[in-house]
């Protein structure tokens, strides 16, 4: 696996199988200090859908797949981080369960090559001021997507460039610091 951005953690999840199926623990409070979920969400995506690329100045995400496969694209946008501007993709498959913790300031997008359901928790309630993004295919982002086309939302089609996002993200960080 390529080197992950600082603070991104991949948890190998273990299933317990018997003749009825498989039971898998998805989250335990003792696994992480930084994600204290206050909201859980489930999202079904059709084949060829890409969600993102988004970044949150304040909240952390914790996600896993309930079914299907996804390519998770990551890019560290924290100038103070030792992995600043590092970008990579991770393949996540529900058949080999993993959970991924994504800290604030790490941009992320999800590409689904087949129908999939991903489940994710957030450390803060949804707030538009904490929901920033840039075009998934901006070359400056450096995420090595294996595909060149994707079905994306109208909102994501209208996202800005990475350079514009970085200015907006810096402003959001300043506002958070001023708020205490």
């Amino acid at each position: 696996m390529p080197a992950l951005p600082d603070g991104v953690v991949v948890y190998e999840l273990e299933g317990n199988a018997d003749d009825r199926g498989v039971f898998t623990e998805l989250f335990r409070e003792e696994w992480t200090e930084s994600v204290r979920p206050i909201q859980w969400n489930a999202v079904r995506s059709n084949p060829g859908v890409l969600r993102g690329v988004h970044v949150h100045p304040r909240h952390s995400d914790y996600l896993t797949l309930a079914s299907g496969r996804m390519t998770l694209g990551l890019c560290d946008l924290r100038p103070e981080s030792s992995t600043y501007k590092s970008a990579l993709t991770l393949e996540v498959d529900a058949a080999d369960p993993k959970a991924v913790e994504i800290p604030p300031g790490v941009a992320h997008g999800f590409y689904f090559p087949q129908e999939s359901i991903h489940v994710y928790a957030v450390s803060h309630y949804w707030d538009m001021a904490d929901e920033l993004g840039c075009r998934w295919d901006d070359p400056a982002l450096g995420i090595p997507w294996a595909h060149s086309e994707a079905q994306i939302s109208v909102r994501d089609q209208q996202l800005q460039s990475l350079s514009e996002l970085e200015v907006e993200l810096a402003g959001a960080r300043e506002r958070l610091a001023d708020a205490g």
Side-chain angles (χ1 to χ4, degrees), residues 93-145:
D93 191 322
D96 181 23
K98 293 175 179 42
V100 181
E101 180 179 332
I102 304 171
V106 175
H108 49 282
F110 315 102
Y111 176 77
F112 301 94
Q114 65 187 65
E115 185 171 310
S116 301
I117 298 173
H118 77 279
V119 177
Y120 70 100
V122 293
S123 62
H124 292 77
Y125 291 115
W126 187 85
D127 175 2
M128 193 60 181
D130 196 39
E131 190 73 25
L132 309 179
C134 71
R135 291 190 317 269
W136 70 275
D137 58 352
D138 187 327
L141 194 58
I143 294 176
W145 297 110

Side-chain angles (χ1 to χ4, degrees), residues 67-109:
S67 67
R69 291 184 301 122
M70 86 162 116
T71 300
L72 171 59
L74 300 165
C75 182
D76 191 344
L77 298 181
R78 300 166 297 169
E80 72 282 359
S81 171
S82 67
T83 55
Y84 177 56
K85 289 290 183 97
S86 66
L88 61 103
T89 57
L90 297 174
E91 298 302 319
V92 182
D93 191 322
D96 181 23
K98 293 175 179 42
V100 181
E101 180 179 332
I102 304 171
V106 175
H108 49 282

Side-chain angles (χ1 to χ4, degrees), residues 34-36 38-39 55-61 78 102-106 108 122-132 169 172-173 175-177 179-180:
S34 60
V35 179
R36 294 288 175 244
I38 64 164
Q39 179 176 330
V55 64
H56 313 293
R58 188 171 55 137
H59 84 252
S60 298
D61 290 303
R78 300 166 297 169
I102 304 171
V106 175
H108 49 282
V122 293
S123 62
H124 292 77
Y125 291 115
W126 187 85
D127 175 2
M128 193 60 181
D130 196 39
E131 190 73 25
L132 309 179
L169 185 56
R173 285 188 182 125
R175 287 187 297 281
L176 284 171

Side-chain angles (χ1 to χ4, degrees), residues 4-11 31-32 34 62 90 99-103:
L4 297 170
D6 289 339
V8 172
V9 180
V10 176
Y11 301 92
W31 292 349
T32 176
S34 60
Y62 180 93
L90 297 174
V100 181
E101 180 179 332
I102 304 171

